[in-house]
PDB file of all heavy atoms in Angstrom:
ATOM      1  N   THR A   1       0.836  -1.193   0.000  1.00 51.00           N
ATOM      2  CA  THR A   1       0.000   0.000   0.000  1.00 51.00           C
ATOM      3  C   THR A   1       0.869   1.240   0.000  1.00 51.00           C
ATOM      4  O   THR A   1       2.055   1.202   0.317  1.00 51.00           O
ATOM      5  CB  THR A   1      -0.924   0.030   1.224  1.00 51.00           C
ATOM      6  OG1 THR A   1      -0.122  -0.008   2.410  1.00 51.00           O
ATOM      7  CG2 THR A   1      -1.869  -1.159   1.218  1.00 51.00           C
ATOM      8  N   THR A   2       0.265   2.351  -0.354  1.00 49.00           N
ATOM      9  CA  THR A   2       0.988   3.620  -0.437  1.00 49.00           C
ATOM     10  C   THR A   2       0.190   4.690   0.270  1.00 49.00           C
ATOM     11  O   THR A   2      -1.024   4.777   0.089  1.00 49.00           O
ATOM     12  CB  THR A   2       1.199   4.032  -1.909  1.00 49.00           C
ATOM     13  OG1 THR A   2       1.882   2.980  -2.578  1.00 49.00           O
ATOM     14  CG2 THR A   2       2.001   5.320  -1.999  1.00 49.00           C
ATOM     15  N   ASP A   3       0.860   5.507   1.082  1.00 47.00           N
ATOM     16  CA  ASP A   3       0.133   6.571   1.758  1.00 47.00           C
ATOM     17  C   ASP A   3       0.047   7.804   0.875  1.00 47.00           C
ATOM     18  O   ASP A   3       0.516   7.817  -0.256  1.00 47.00           O
ATOM     19  CB  ASP A   3       0.769   6.890   3.116  1.00 47.00           C
ATOM     20  CG  ASP A   3       2.144   7.558   2.985  1.00 47.00           C
ATOM     21  OD1 ASP A   3       2.558   7.841   1.846  1.00 47.00           O
ATOM     22  OD2 ASP A   3       2.777   7.798   4.028  1.00 47.00           O
ATOM     23  N   ALA A   4      -0.566   8.867   1.403  1.00 46.00           N
ATOM     24  CA  ALA A   4      -0.796  10.074   0.603  1.00 46.00           C
ATOM     25  C   ALA A   4       0.513  10.727   0.172  1.00 46.00           C
ATOM     26  O   ALA A   4       0.566  11.439  -0.826  1.00 46.00           O
ATOM     27  CB  ALA A   4      -1.643  11.068   1.402  1.00 46.00           C
ATOM     28  N   GLY A   5       1.581  10.508   0.920  1.00 47.00           N
ATOM     29  CA  GLY A   5       2.865  11.101   0.569  1.00 47.00           C
ATOM     30  C   GLY A   5       3.698  10.237  -0.349  1.00 47.00           C
ATOM     31  O   GLY A   5       4.841  10.575  -0.657  1.00 47.00           O
ATOM     32  N   GLY A   6       3.155   9.117  -0.782  1.00 46.00           N
ATOM     33  CA  GLY A   6       3.858   8.269  -1.711  1.00 46.00           C
ATOM     34  C   GLY A   6       4.767   7.238  -1.077  1.00 46.00           C
ATOM     35  O   GLY A   6       5.545   6.577  -1.752  1.00 46.00           O
ATOM     36  N   THR A   7       4.669   7.088   0.247  1.00 45.00           N
ATOM     37  CA  THR A   7       5.512   6.114   0.938  1.00 45.00           C
ATOM     38  C   THR A   7       4.882   4.738   0.887  1.00 45.00           C
ATOM     39  O   THR A   7       3.718   4.580   1.234  1.00 45.00           O
ATOM     40  CB  THR A   7       5.708   6.527   2.408  1.00 45.00           C
ATOM     41  OG1 THR A   7       6.280   7.839   2.437  1.00 45.00           O
ATOM     42  CG2 THR A   7       6.633   5.561   3.121  1.00 45.00           C
ATOM     43  N   ASP A   8       5.633   3.751   0.456  1.00 41.00           N
ATOM     44  CA  ASP A   8       5.115   2.393   0.375  1.00 41.00           C
ATOM     45  C   ASP A   8       4.868   1.817   1.764  1.00 41.00           C
ATOM     46  O   ASP A   8       5.544   2.173   2.733  1.00 41.00           O
ATOM     47  CB  ASP A   8       6.084   1.484  -0.382  1.00 41.00           C
ATOM     48  CG  ASP A   8       6.125   1.814  -1.868  1.00 41.00           C
ATOM     49  OD1 ASP A   8       5.159   2.438  -2.341  1.00 41.00           O
ATOM     50  OD2 ASP A   8       7.127   1.458  -2.523  1.00 41.00           O
ATOM     51  N   ASP A   9       3.934   0.878   1.813  1.00 44.00           N
ATOM     52  CA  ASP A   9       3.661   0.123   3.028  1.00 44.00           C
ATOM     53  C   ASP A   9       3.376   1.029   4.232  1.00 44.00           C
ATOM     54  O   ASP A   9       3.860   0.808   5.335  1.00 44.00           O
ATOM     55  CB  ASP A   9       4.837  -0.790   3.381  1.00 44.00           C
ATOM     56  CG  ASP A   9       5.049  -1.857   2.314  1.00 44.00           C
ATOM     57  OD1 ASP A   9       4.153  -2.014   1.475  1.00 44.00           O
ATOM     58  OD2 ASP A   9       6.098  -2.508   2.347  1.00 44.00           O
ATOM     59  N   ALA A  10       2.581   2.073   4.037  1.00 43.00           N
ATOM     60  CA  ALA A  10       2.312   2.995   5.143  1.00 43.00           C
ATOM     61  C   ALA A  10       0.817   3.214   5.300  1.00 43.00           C
ATOM     62  O   ALA A  10       0.101   3.386   4.333  1.00 43.00           O
ATOM     63  CB  ALA A  10       3.002   4.334   4.897  1.00 43.00           C
ATOM     64  N   ARG A  11       0.361   3.169   6.526  1.00 46.00           N
ATOM     65  CA  ARG A  11      -1.007   3.529   6.882  1.00 46.00           C
ATOM     66  C   ARG A  11      -1.068   3.661   8.395  1.00 46.00           C
ATOM     67  O   ARG A  11      -0.112   3.311   9.087  1.00 46.00           O
ATOM     68  CB  ARG A  11      -2.009   2.463   6.424  1.00 46.00           C
ATOM     69  CG  ARG A  11      -1.888   1.143   7.196  1.00 46.00           C
ATOM     70  CD  ARG A  11      -2.909   0.142   6.730  1.00 46.00           C
ATOM     71  NE  ARG A  11      -2.734  -1.142   7.383  1.00 46.00           N
ATOM     72  CZ  ARG A  11      -3.306  -1.493   8.526  1.00 46.00           C
ATOM     73  NH1 ARG A  11      -4.075  -0.637   9.165  1.00 46.00           N
ATOM     74  NH2 ARG A  11      -3.101  -2.683   9.043  1.00 46.00           N
ATOM     75  N   THR A  12      -2.160   4.173   8.913  1.00 50.00           N
ATOM     76  CA  THR A  12      -2.360   4.175  10.356  1.00 50.00           C
ATOM     77  C   THR A  12      -3.034   2.866  10.718  1.00 50.00           C
ATOM     78  O   THR A  12      -4.185   2.640  10.342  1.00 50.00           O
ATOM     79  CB  THR A  12      -3.252   5.356  10.783  1.00 50.00           C
ATOM     80  OG1 THR A  12      -2.623   6.566  10.393  1.00 50.00           O
ATOM     81  CG2 THR A  12      -3.453   5.350  12.284  1.00 50.00           C
ATOM     82  N   PRO A  13      -2.370   1.971  11.415  1.00 56.00           N
ATOM     83  CA  PRO A  13      -2.963   0.667  11.700  1.00 56.00           C
ATOM     84  C   PRO A  13      -4.159   0.796  12.624  1.00 56.00           C
ATOM     85  O   PRO A  13      -4.225   1.689  13.467  1.00 56.00           O
ATOM     86  CB  PRO A  13      -1.831  -0.104  12.368  1.00 56.00           C
ATOM     87  CG  PRO A  13      -0.932   0.954  12.921  1.00 56.00           C
ATOM     88  CD  PRO A  13      -1.026   2.110  11.974  1.00 56.00           C
ATOM     89  N   ASP A  14      -5.116  -0.106  12.479  1.00 64.00           N
ATOM     90  CA  ASP A  14      -6.304  -0.076  13.310  1.00 64.00           C
ATOM     91  C   ASP A  14      -5.964  -0.305  14.775  1.00 64.00           C
ATOM     92  O   ASP A  14      -6.692   0.126  15.657  1.00 64.00           O
ATOM     93  CB  ASP A  14      -7.308  -1.114  12.833  1.00 64.00           C
ATOM     94  CG  ASP A  14      -7.975  -0.708  11.526  1.00 64.00           C
ATOM     95  OD1 ASP A  14      -8.023   0.492  11.234  1.00 64.00           O
ATOM     96  OD2 ASP A  14      -8.439  -1.594  10.813  1.00 64.00           O
ATOM     97  N   LEU A  15      -4.876  -0.995  15.068  1.00 76.00           N
ATOM     98  CA  LEU A  15      -4.473  -1.167  16.452  1.00 76.00           C
ATOM     99  C   LEU A  15      -4.155   0.182  17.079  1.00 76.00           C
ATOM    100  O   LEU A  15      -4.509   0.443  18.233  1.00 76.00           O
ATOM    101  CB  LEU A  15      -3.271  -2.103  16.543  1.00 76.00           C
ATOM    102  CG  LEU A  15      -2.899  -2.567  17.951  1.00 76.00           C
ATOM    103  CD1 LEU A  15      -4.022  -3.413  18.535  1.00 76.00           C
ATOM    104  CD2 LEU A  15      -1.599  -3.351  17.930  1.00 76.00           C
ATOM    105  N   THR A  16      -3.497   1.050  16.330  1.00 80.00           N
ATOM    106  CA  THR A  16      -3.227   2.397  16.822  1.00 80.00           C
ATOM    107  C   THR A  16      -4.530   3.143  17.053  1.00 80.00           C
ATOM    108  O   THR A  16      -4.682   3.878  18.028  1.00 80.00           O
ATOM    109  CB  THR A  16      -2.348   3.169  15.826  1.00 80.00           C
ATOM    110  OG1 THR A  16      -1.089   2.511  15.711  1.00 80.00           O
ATOM    111  CG2 THR A  16      -2.137   4.603  16.278  1.00 80.00           C
ATOM    112  N   LEU A  17      -5.487   2.932  16.167  1.00 79.00           N
ATOM    113  CA  LEU A  17      -6.785   3.574  16.318  1.00 79.00           C
ATOM    114  C   LEU A  17      -7.476   3.123  17.597  1.00 79.00           C
ATOM    115  O   LEU A  17      -8.071   3.926  18.318  1.00 79.00           O
ATOM    116  CB  LEU A  17      -7.666   3.242  15.102  1.00 79.00           C
ATOM    117  CG  LEU A  17      -8.965   4.017  14.946  1.00 79.00           C
ATOM    118  CD1 LEU A  17      -8.695   5.506  14.837  1.00 79.00           C
ATOM    119  CD2 LEU A  17      -9.714   3.537  13.713  1.00 79.00           C
ATOM    120  N   LEU A  18      -7.381   1.842  17.912  1.00 84.00           N
ATOM    121  CA  LEU A  18      -7.967   1.342  19.155  1.00 84.00           C
ATOM    122  C   LEU A  18      -7.322   2.005  20.367  1.00 84.00           C
ATOM    123  O   LEU A  18      -8.003   2.376  21.325  1.00 84.00           O
ATOM    124  CB  LEU A  18      -7.816  -0.173  19.254  1.00 84.00           C
ATOM    125  CG  LEU A  18      -8.468  -1.036  18.169  1.00 84.00           C
ATOM    126  CD1 LEU A  18      -8.401  -2.496  18.578  1.00 84.00           C
ATOM    127  CD2 LEU A  18      -9.899  -0.630  17.912  1.00 84.00           C
ATOM    128  N   ARG A  19      -6.018   2.130  20.335  1.00 88.00           N
ATOM    129  CA  ARG A  19      -5.313   2.796  21.436  1.00 88.00           C
ATOM    130  C   ARG A  19      -5.817   4.226  21.599  1.00 88.00           C
ATOM    131  O   ARG A  19      -6.116   4.683  22.714  1.00 88.00           O
ATOM    132  CB  ARG A  19      -3.814   2.848  21.163  1.00 88.00           C
ATOM    133  CG  ARG A  19      -3.042   1.549  21.260  1.00 88.00           C
ATOM    134  CD  ARG A  19      -1.575   1.859  20.971  1.00 88.00           C
ATOM    135  NE  ARG A  19      -0.759   0.669  20.825  1.00 88.00           N
ATOM    136  CZ  ARG A  19      -0.080   0.098  21.803  1.00 88.00           C
ATOM    137  NH1 ARG A  19      -0.165   0.595  23.019  1.00 88.00           N
ATOM    138  NH2 ARG A  19       0.677  -0.963  21.583  1.00 88.00           N
ATOM    139  N   GLU A  20      -5.902   4.943  20.489  1.00 88.00           N
ATOM    140  CA  GLU A  20      -6.270   6.354  20.539  1.00 88.00           C
ATOM    141  C   GLU A  20      -7.704   6.534  21.025  1.00 88.00           C
ATOM    142  O   GLU A  20      -7.986   7.426  21.838  1.00 88.00           O
ATOM    143  CB  GLU A  20      -6.092   6.984  19.158  1.00 88.00           C
ATOM    144  CG  GLU A  20      -4.633   7.088  18.730  1.00 88.00           C
ATOM    145  CD  GLU A  20      -4.494   7.571  17.296  1.00 88.00           C
ATOM    146  OE1 GLU A  20      -5.517   7.649  16.577  1.00 88.00           O
ATOM    147  OE2 GLU A  20      -3.345   7.866  16.893  1.00 88.00           O
ATOM    148  N   TRP A  21      -8.618   5.697  20.526  1.00 88.00           N
ATOM    149  CA  TRP A  21     -10.016   5.819  20.943  1.00 88.00           C
ATOM    150  C   TRP A  21     -10.172   5.530  22.421  1.00 88.00           C
ATOM    151  O   TRP A  21     -10.875   6.246  23.138  1.00 88.00           O
ATOM    152  CB  TRP A  21     -10.884   4.868  20.122  1.00 88.00           C
ATOM    153  CG  TRP A  21     -11.194   5.366  18.745  1.00 88.00           C
ATOM    154  CD1 TRP A  21     -10.852   6.570  18.219  1.00 88.00           C
ATOM    155  CD2 TRP A  21     -11.894   4.664  17.727  1.00 88.00           C
ATOM    156  NE1 TRP A  21     -11.287   6.665  16.925  1.00 88.00           N
ATOM    157  CE2 TRP A  21     -11.933   5.510  16.596  1.00 88.00           C
ATOM    158  CE3 TRP A  21     -12.469   3.402  17.652  1.00 88.00           C
ATOM    159  CZ2 TRP A  21     -12.556   5.128  15.417  1.00 88.00           C
ATOM    160  CZ3 TRP A  21     -13.092   3.015  16.469  1.00 88.00           C
ATOM    161  CH2 TRP A  21     -13.144   3.876  15.361  1.00 88.00           C
ATOM    162  N   ALA A  22      -9.519   4.488  22.903  1.00 93.00           N
ATOM    163  CA  ALA A  22      -9.630   4.147  24.321  1.00 93.00           C
ATOM    164  C   ALA A  22      -9.021   5.232  25.196  1.00 93.00           C
ATOM    165  O   ALA A  22      -9.615   5.656  26.196  1.00 93.00           O
ATOM    166  CB  ALA A  22      -8.960   2.809  24.594  1.00 93.00           C
ATOM    167  N   ARG A  23      -7.836   5.712  24.850  1.00 94.00           N
ATOM    168  CA  ARG A  23      -7.159   6.724  25.650  1.00 94.00           C
ATOM    169  C   ARG A  23      -7.962   8.026  25.690  1.00 94.00           C
ATOM    170  O   ARG A  23      -8.071   8.659  26.746  1.00 94.00           O
ATOM    171  CB  ARG A  23      -5.769   6.978  25.085  1.00 94.00           C
ATOM    172  CG  ARG A  23      -4.866   7.805  25.967  1.00 94.00           C
ATOM    173  CD  ARG A  23      -4.530   7.081  27.244  1.00 94.00           C
ATOM    174  NE  ARG A  23      -5.297   7.566  28.377  1.00 94.00           N
ATOM    175  CZ  ARG A  23      -5.282   7.020  29.574  1.00 94.00           C
ATOM    176  NH1 ARG A  23      -4.564   5.952  29.813  1.00 94.00           N
ATOM    177  NH2 ARG A  23      -5.995   7.521  30.562  1.00 94.00           N
ATOM    178  N   GLU A  24      -8.526   8.407  24.547  1.00 95.00           N
ATOM    179  CA  GLU A  24      -9.341   9.627  24.499  1.00 95.00           C
ATOM    180  C   GLU A  24     -10.514   9.538  25.469  1.00 95.00           C
ATOM    181  O   GLU A  24     -10.827  10.500  26.180  1.00 95.00           O
ATOM    182  CB  GLU A  24      -9.860   9.847  23.080  1.00 95.00           C
ATOM    183  CG  GLU A  24     -10.760  11.067  22.936  1.00 95.00           C
ATOM    184  CD  GLU A  24     -11.394  11.181  21.564  1.00 95.00           C
ATOM    185  OE1 GLU A  24     -11.484  10.155  20.851  1.00 95.00           O
ATOM    186  OE2 GLU A  24     -11.812  12.294  21.207  1.00 95.00           O
ATOM    187  N   ARG A  25     -11.154   8.396  25.522  1.00 96.00           N
ATOM    188  CA  ARG A  25     -12.314   8.224  26.399  1.00 96.00           C
ATOM    189  C   ARG A  25     -11.908   8.177  27.871  1.00 96.00           C
ATOM    190  O   ARG A  25     -12.577   8.773  28.720  1.00 96.00           O
ATOM    191  CB  ARG A  25     -13.081   6.972  25.975  1.00 96.00           C
ATOM    192  CG  ARG A  25     -13.928   7.216  24.734  1.00 96.00           C
ATOM    193  CD  ARG A  25     -14.156   5.986  23.877  1.00 96.00           C
ATOM    194  NE  ARG A  25     -14.981   6.344  22.721  1.00 96.00           N
ATOM    195  CZ  ARG A  25     -14.500   6.978  21.645  1.00 96.00           C
ATOM    196  NH1 ARG A  25     -13.217   7.325  21.585  1.00 96.00           N
ATOM    197  NH2 ARG A  25     -15.297   7.271  20.643  1.00 96.00           N
ATOM    198  N   LEU A  26     -10.838   7.508  28.175  1.00 97.00           N
ATOM    199  CA  LEU A  26     -10.401   7.417  29.562  1.00 97.00           C
ATOM    200  C   LEU A  26      -9.899   8.760  30.084  1.00 97.00           C
ATOM    201  O   LEU A  26     -10.055   9.072  31.270  1.00 97.00           O
ATOM    202  CB  LEU A  26      -9.329   6.348  29.704  1.00 97.00           C
ATOM    203  CG  LEU A  26      -9.800   4.915  29.426  1.00 97.00           C
ATOM    204  CD1 LEU A  26      -8.633   3.937  29.505  1.00 97.00           C
ATOM    205  CD2 LEU A  26     -10.901   4.498  30.388  1.00 97.00           C
ATOM    206  N   ASP A  27      -9.314   9.559  29.220  1.00 97.00           N
ATOM    207  CA  ASP A  27      -8.851  10.883  29.635  1.00 97.00           C
ATOM    208  C   ASP A  27     -10.012  11.830  29.930  1.00 97.00           C
ATOM    209  O   ASP A  27      -9.815  12.855  30.588  1.00 97.00           O
ATOM    210  CB  ASP A  27      -7.966  11.502  28.550  1.00 97.00           C
ATOM    211  CG  ASP A  27      -6.589  10.863  28.485  1.00 97.00           C
ATOM    212  OD1 ASP A  27      -6.206  10.165  29.446  1.00 97.00           O
ATOM    213  OD2 ASP A  27      -5.900  11.045  27.461  1.00 97.00           O
ATOM    214  N   ALA A  28     -11.209  11.503  29.449  1.00 97.00           N
ATOM    215  CA  ALA A  28     -12.357  12.391  29.607  1.00 97.00           C
ATOM    216  C   ALA A  28     -13.214  12.057  30.829  1.00 97.00           C
ATOM    217  O   ALA A  28     -14.201  12.748  31.084  1.00 97.00           O
ATOM    218  CB  ALA A  28     -13.226  12.330  28.348  1.00 97.00           C
TER     219      ALA A  28
END
């Protein structure tokens, strides 16, 4: 895969998304 900047094999993994969603909620 390629990200918007043209870098191969790049994306925001869903595991990172899970971390961010959980942390955002716990911080609130």
